[in-house]
Amino acid sequence: SQQGEEDPQALSIQEGENATMNCSYKTSINNLQWYRQNSGRGLVHLILIRSNEREKHSGRLRVTLDTSKKSSSLLITASRAADTASYFCAPLSGSARQLTFGSGTQLTVLP
Amino acid sequence: DAGVIQSPRHEVTEMGQEVTLRCKPISGHNSLFWYRQTMMRGLELLIYFNNNVPIDDSGMPEDRFSAKMPNASFSTLKIQPSEPRDSAVYFCASSPGGGGGDEQYFGPGTRLTVT
């Protein structure tokens, strides 16, 4: 399995602003998943995007995937203080069956 | 559904003692994963099961760690003997499919402190 690399490591924005986090990976994938972790809690699955998809939406979340650049981005629109959390991407390659998580992006939304 | 259930939520033990962490996956899920999270090493996959069978235990750090899944609704992670460096948050996750290709549902974690 391969590990995604999230960028930036930390991001601080004002409530109401948009937050964009990026993820890069090394080898071709079947799908890529985004997770959120609030402090002291387990990870929560946000979105799964398959290799043949370019964009996916879920509420205020928008995920894009560019397989030619081996990268994905997560956009949170109109951020809220409750969005403060760490965000992880997990790319899944063809033969792998388990996910590997990187260091994540720590997002802080200031009220 | 109650989600993935882990117990205990907190465990404090002395070095050398045996520690057993428990997990009840979501009913109907076929895969179960044990992770460990520390500040230094991040989130590490220790072992995962598919249909109660261990598929990949390459992440288990040492022979002191062992995991079992006697049935589809219960799994344990045991550390014997425990050491201070085992202090971490241990998460259990389950997935509906046959492997990590599906989304995973995480439990609340067990915070282990070994003194």
Side-chain angles (χ1 to χ4, degrees):
Chain A
S1 62
Q2 67 173 312
Q3 176 177 306
E5 289 190 21
E6 296 89 353
D7 175 68
Q9 289 189 335
L11 179 62
S12 184
I13 60 174
Q14 293 294 133
E15 204 164 27
E17 293 181 339
N18 295 342
T20 299
M21 288 157 272
N22 303 297
C23 170
S24 60
Y25 56 91
K26 290 186 168 54
T27 63
S28 61
I29 58 171
N30 281 347
N31 70 54
L32 186 143
Q33 304 180 29
W34 284 92
Y35 288 80
R36 181 189 75 227
Q37 184 178 30
N38 292 90
S39 180
R41 311 284 289 271
L43 276 70
V44 174
H45 179 263
L46 297 176
I47 287 184
L48 182 154
I49 186 165
R50 302 190 187 284
S51 60
N52 61 353
E53 298 175 311
R54 290 297 167 258
E55 191 170 308
K56 207 160 182 180
H57 297 254
S58 176
R60 294 183 296 110
L61 306 181
R62 172 178 168 247
V63 167
T64 60
L65 179 65
D66 187 334
T67 53
S68 67
K69 295 181 179 178
K70 294 186 173 59
S71 67
S72 174
S73 66
L74 169 66
L75 169 68
I76 304 175
T77 59
S79 63
R80 306 167 181 168
D83 295 329
T84 294
S86 292
Y87 291 82
F88 298 87
C89 70
L92 185 73
S93 300
S95 59
R97 301 177 71 180
Q98 66 269 41
L99 301 176
T100 302
F101 294 94
S103 302
T105 292
Q106 172 61 51
L107 172 66
T108 302
V109 181
L110 303 169
Chain B
D1 198 317
V4 175
I5 299 173
Q6 290 187 248
S7 65
R9 293 294 308 277
H10 301 272
E11 177 81 32
V12 180
T13 190
E14 292 184 348
M15 182 174 63
Q17 297 298 306
E18 177 180 299
V19 175
T20 299
L21 311 181
R22 297 173 175 79
C23 175
K24 177 178 168 54
I26 293 173
S27 177
H29 281 193
N30 294 324
S31 296
L32 182 140
F33 306 82
W34 282 101
Y35 292 89
R36 176 173 69 176
Q37 187 174 38
T38 62
M39 289 293 291
M40 289 295 293
R41 300 175 68 92
L43 193 65
E44 304 173 278
L45 175 67
L46 300 177
I47 185 172
Y48 85 92
F49 295 83
N50 181 236
N51 291 325
N52 313 338
V53 176
I55 301 299
D56 185 351
D57 65 355
S58 60
M60 296 286 263
E62 302 170 31
D63 291 345
R64 299 184 296 107
F65 286 70
S66 63
K68 294 182 180 179
M69 192 164 186
N71 56 62
S73 59
F74 184 65
S75 177
T76 59
L77 178 67
K78 185 177 293 187
I79 308 172
Q80 166 63 19
S82 58
E83 296 181 3
R85 60 194 168 117
D86 301 330
S87 297
V89 181
Y90 290 81
F91 290 103
C92 175
S94 69
S95 175
D102 295 324
E103 63 271 24
Q104 296 184 17
Y105 297 81
F106 282 72
T110 294
R111 182 172 294 277
L112 173 65
T113 302
V114 183
T115 61

